[in-house]
Amino acid sequence: MPSIFSKAPAKIILFGEHAVVYGQPAIALPMTTLSSKVSILGNPLGNPNEVRIIAPEIGMDDFFHNLPEDDFFVTAITLVMNHLNIDQYPACEVRITSTIPVASGLGSSASIAVSLLRTLFAFLGKSPNNRIISNLALQLEKIHHGNPSGIDNSVITFEKPIYFIREKPVEFIQVKKLLTLIIGNTGIGSTTKESVSIVREKLQTNPIKINQLFQEIGSISKEAKIFLETGKNKLIGEKMNQNHHLLQDIGVSCSELDHLVTAAVNAGAMGAKLCGSGLGGNMVALADEDSIDQITSALRDAGAVQTYITTIKP
Ligand code: PMV
């Protein structure tokens, strides 16, 4: 019996992380160089609900019924069954793999949520629309993140650049000019939940300052949307630098991220900033095509444990 599978990309937040949790606009891009993949192979001899879940990267090989109710994979299967109004899932083997580094701001959990949900539906002959997949993925994200804005599941489900405001319909951005992005990984793991809760504490202790920073970030996202739509890449780069400084002021950067951002800019990037929840993880630099090698080797020299290149085509 052939297995069925689906893939989902990683993502980059180009503008507006953290502020987006509090209602400010943000911009995110799909990053197709990295992806998660989920495949399902039916087991015609097995009993209903005998679902084996194998995720080698996290050392998981267990059955649905042995796992706790709030487990990520159990929740995914339960969400699918509830959505379809069924109480049994056919016996099968679900295999999850991913090239997206975990806890590093590239949307690894949202990507797995999307590819897992799509495959779980497809195995039952169903293919719900993107809006349904994105909403279900957001529910799954809540297990890991507590209070996700919804930007990760949206950009990963739709696989298009998005302008995102919490609880509003997703707007798509048509970029006018090719974007070449270089991503540098500090190698420092950081969880979204933790950094989101640090920001929440800062907001509680210093609401005037932090709200002001959120508003400035929101204005950057608004301006950057226009620059993306009109092909003003140099100005996009400037806005990335400004956004990074505001994230530093909020307190979600770290010396390793700052070091990579500075290295990229000194090597000729039009702009650079941390991407995702920060306190480790990855940064992103906007490059001219002819400065890719220079920026990549500067990032390596500055301590990036991995670098990736991705493009967004007009
Ligand atoms: O999941 P991460 O680490 O890529 O960050 C998501 C972006 C945040 O704005 C920090 C959180 C959110 O839910 O929007």
Side-chain angles (χ1 to χ4, degrees):
M1 184 191 281
S3 73
I4 55 150
F5 73 90
S6 75
K7 283 181 163 192
K11 65 93 219 242
I12 298 162
I13 300 190
L14 198 59
F15 295 102
E17 50 274 269
H18 288 291
V20 69
V21 174
Y22 299 92
Q24 294 294 334
I27 293 175
L29 310 171
M31 177 186 174
T32 48
T33 20
L34 298 173
S35 59
S36 64
K37 178 179 173 185
V38 175
S39 54
I40 302 186
L41 183 64
N43 173 8
L45 303 176
N47 295 315
N49 281 346
E50 213 173 282
V51 179
R52 183 176 172 193
I53 299 157
I54 305 168
E57 278 122 15
I58 54 163
M60 153 91 90
D61 184 350
D62 215 331
F63 282 91
F64 174 56
H65 52 261
N66 290 337
L67 293 164
E69 230 175 66
D70 62 353
D71 173 83
F72 182 83
F73 301 104
V74 172
T75 311
I77 296 168
T78 310
L79 281 170
V80 169
M81 291 199 293
N82 289 347
H83 186 84
L84 297 174
N85 229 345
I86 55 174
D87 53 16
Q88 288 182 329
Y89 198 89
C92 62
E93 194 175 286
V94 182
R95 185 172 285 270
I96 298 118
T97 54
S98 174
T99 58
I100 310 170
V102 294
S104 68
L106 296 179
S108 129
S109 69
S111 178
I112 290 174
V114 169
S115 51
L116 179 60
L117 289 164
R118 281 210 180 110
T119 318
L120 286 168
F121 277 114
F123 186 66
L124 300 174
K126 308 283 179 198
S127 54
N129 65 33
N130 282 339
R131 201 179 42 77
I132 292 171
I133 293 291
S134 185
N135 283 339
L136 292 173
L138 176 61
Q139 293 185 47
L140 257 183
E141 281 276 277
K142 286 185 180 159
I143 299 176
H144 277 180
H145 292 187
N147 182 26
S149 65
I151 191 168
D152 284 15
N153 51 284
S154 300
V155 68
I156 287 170
T157 303
F158 290 99
E159 285 191 48
K160 285 180 185 160
I162 60 166
Y163 181 77
F164 181 87
I165 300 174
R166 191 168 191 162
E167 269 141 37
K168 295 239 170 98
V170 174
E171 270 183 60
F172 300 109
I173 299 178
Q174 180 66 52
V175 305
K176 182 81 188 287
K177 203 166 165 187
L178 179 78
L179 297 178
T180 303
L181 299 156
I182 305 173
I183 292 95
N185 190 348
T186 60
I188 301 167
S190 76
T191 71
T192 310
K193 197 172 188 167
E194 199 188 318
S195 84
V196 167
S197 81
I198 289 172
V199 174
R200 193 187 317 116
E201 280 162 29
K202 285 177 188 276
L203 180 65
Q204 277 157 4
T205 49
N206 205 343
I208 296 175
K209 179 186 167 199
I210 302 293
N211 271 318
Q212 173 66 31
L213 294 170
F214 285 163
Q215 274 173 26
E216 287 179 43
I217 291 175
S219 306
I220 286 178
S221 296
K222 279 185 208 148
E223 288 174 277
K225 176 177 186 277
I226 298 165
F227 297 151
L228 286 162
E229 287 168 342
T230 51
K232 307 255 175 14
N233 286 10
K234 251 186 119 139
L235 294 175
I236 296 165
E238 279 174 24
K239 292 290 153 198
M240 289 169 74
N241 293 336
Q242 288 171 17
N243 195 160
H244 184 71
H245 291 136
L246 293 166
L247 289 163
Q248 284 176 318
D249 291 347
I250 291 177
V252 290
S253 192
C254 62
S255 56
E256 292 82 355
L257 279 167
D258 291 343
H259 193 51
L260 294 186
V261 165
T262 307
V265 172
N266 288 344
M270 286 179 267
K273 63 180 274 292
L274 73 85
C275 61
S277 51
L279 298 172
N282 284 271
M283 49 69 68
V284 57
L286 180 62
D288 271 329
E289 270 187 282
D290 45 13
S291 54
I292 295 174
D293 292 346
Q294 217 171 296
I295 296 168
T296 303
S297 56
L299 286 173
R300 292 268 177 186
D301 292 345
V305 295
Q306 279 153 323
T307 53
Y308 315 94
I309 298 167
T310 196
T311 55
I312 303 289
K313 298 199 173 77

